[in-house]
C-alpha cells in the first residue's frame, strides 16, 4: 500500500452558545492529478475530462467518466476523491429530478449551480466534499452557460474554466485563443490543443480524455 501524501489539517474555531468549538479536518486528501476543461459558446457548451482515477502515486482506473449528464440540457463534471465525486454527483442529479417532479418545472442552469454551491458551502463544517466541479447548461432561448465551483463553495460563471493541475497549463491557452463567437468545432480543436499541452508538459500524462457537448439537439459524446 502506498503512503498518502496529505496536507496539514485545517483548524476552524467558532463561538456558539458560550462555548468555543474547534472543527478539524484534512483538506485535499487527493493529489489533483485530474483534469477538467470547459468552454461555453453561443449555442453550445463542451467539457473535456481525463479518464484517469489516481490515488497518491497509483493509477487505479484508466477509463472513468467524470462528466455526469443531469438531463438533456445540463452536465455536471467533477474531480476529486472518487467517493466524494460519485456521492455528490448523484446527490445533485437526484435532487434536480425530485424538484422537477414536485414542482412540474425544471431548474435553470443558473439555479442548479447556485444550489450546488450552497450544498458544498453548508457541508464545509459538517462533512466537506473534496470536489471541484464544472456545471454546463444550454437553457431555452439563452446562450450556453458554464459555472465553476471549487471545494470551498466558490462559484463563478465563466466563458471557459479548468480544474486540477492541468489548469496551470491550459488557462493561458484558453485565454489566448477563446473568442465569444467560437464554433463547436473550433472549441473542440482548442480542447485538443489543451490536451496536447497537458500530455507534453505534465509529469504524469493522463490516460486519455472524454469530451461531451451540449447543443440544441441535447448531449452527445464528441469523438
Amino acid at each position: 500500500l502506498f503512503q498518502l501524501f496529505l496536507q496539514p489539517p485545517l483548524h476552524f474555531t467558532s463561538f456558539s452558545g458560550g462555548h468555543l468549538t474547534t472543527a478539524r479536518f484534512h483538506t485535499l486528501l487527493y493529489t489533483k492529478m485530474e483534469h477538467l476543461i470547459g468552454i461555453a459558446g453561443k449555442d453550445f457548451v463542451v467539457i473535456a475530462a481525463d479518464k484517469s482515477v489516481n490515488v497518491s502515486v497509483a493509477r487505479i482506473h484508466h477509463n472513468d467518466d467524470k462528466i455526469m449528464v443531469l438531463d438533456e440540457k445540463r452536465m455536471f463534471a467533477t474531480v476529486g476523491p472518487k467517493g466524494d465525486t460519485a456521492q455528490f454527483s448523484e446527490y445533485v442529479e437526484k435532487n434536480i429530478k425530485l424538484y422537477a417532479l414536485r414542482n412540474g418545472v425544471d431548474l435553470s442552469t443558473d439555479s442548479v449551480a447556485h444550489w450546488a454551491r450552497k450544498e458544498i458551502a453548508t457541508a464545509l463544517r459538517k462533512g466537506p466534499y473534496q470536489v471541484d466541479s464544472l456545471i454546463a447548461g444550454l437553457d431555452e432561448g439563452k446562450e450556453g452557460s458554464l459555472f465553476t465551483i471549487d471545494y470551498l463553495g466558490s462559484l463563478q460563471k465563466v466563458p471557459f474554466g479548468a480544474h486540477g493541475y492541468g489548469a496551470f497549463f491550459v488557462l493561458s491557452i484558453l485565454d489566448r485563443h477563446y473568442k465569444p463567437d467560437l464554433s463547436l468545432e473550433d472549441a473542440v480543436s482548442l480542447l485538443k490543443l489543451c490536451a496536447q499541452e497537458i500530455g507534453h508538459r505534465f509529469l504524469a500524462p493522463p490516460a486519455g480524455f472524454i469530451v461531451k457537448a451540449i447543443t440544441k439537439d441535447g448531449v452527445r459524446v464528441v469523438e
Side-chain angles (χ1 to χ4, degrees):
L1 296 178
F2 295 102
Q3 174 72 32
L4 288 178
F5 296 94
L6 306 180
Q7 290 190 355
L10 290 182
H11 297 263
F12 290 89
T13 302
S14 60
F15 187 81
S16 177
H19 300 282
L20 284 175
T21 302
T22 300
R24 180 179 183 270
F25 62 88
H26 289 277
T27 62
L28 299 180
L29 303 183
Y30 64 99
T31 54
K32 290 190 175 182
M33 297 175 69
E34 299 174 292
H35 316 284
L36 282 184
I37 312 168
I39 300 174
K42 288 187 175 180
D43 57 356
F44 72 90
V45 188
V46 60
I47 293 179
D50 77 298
K51 297 189 286 185
S52 304
V53 177
N54 306 305
V55 177
S56 185
V57 297
R59 176 163 293 170
I60 307 302
H61 192 38
H62 62 270
N63 197 28
D64 186 46
D65 186 355
K66 298 182 174 73
I67 309 173
M68 173 176 280
V69 178
L70 298 176
D71 54 42
E72 62 181 9
K73 293 297 182 181
R74 269 168 284 277
M75 299 187 295
F76 186 49
T78 56
V79 292
K82 193 57 184 174
D84 280 12
T85 57
Q87 179 181 358
F88 189 65
S89 296
E90 291 179 5
Y91 178 71
V92 171
E93 179 194 28
K94 303 307 180 187
N95 274 275
I96 289 173
K97 291 182 178 179
L98 179 62
Y99 181 91
L101 288 171
R102 284 177 171 174
N103 299 278
V105 62
D106 292 328
L107 286 170
S108 66
T109 306
D110 185 84
S111 297
V112 172
H114 282 82
W115 179 82
R117 188 218 72 83
K118 179 185 74 70
E119 292 301 311
I120 291 178
T122 301
L124 274 178
R125 292 183 181 273
K126 300 177 181 179
Y129 295 104
Q130 304 291 335
V131 176
D132 293 326
S133 59
L134 294 176
I135 296 179
L138 185 63
D139 296 314
E140 187 174 354
K142 296 183 179 180
E143 296 182 354
S145 56
L146 180 69
F147 293 85
T148 175
I149 309 176
D150 69 7
Y151 72 102
L152 294 175
S154 298
L155 170 69
Q156 184 67 42
K157 185 176 182 180
V158 292
F160 55 82
H163 282 301
Y165 282 142
F168 293 121
F169 304 106
V170 304
L171 285 176
S172 59
I173 296 175
L174 293 168
D175 185 59
R176 173 65 179 83
H177 294 284
Y178 175 82
K179 298 178 181 178
D181 58 349
L182 210 64
S183 67
L184 176 58
E185 291 74 19
D186 291 337
V188 172
S189 297
L190 183 52
L191 288 177
K192 289 180 179 178
L193 182 62
C194 292
Q196 290 172 0
E197 187 70 9
I198 291 173
H200 177 67
R201 300 287 299 279
F202 193 55
L203 59 90
F209 283 84
I210 183 171
V211 181
K212 295 183 182 180
I214 307 174
T215 65
K216 60 181 179 61
D217 299 319
V219 179
R220 65 183 177 91
V221 176
V222 180
E223 300 293 338

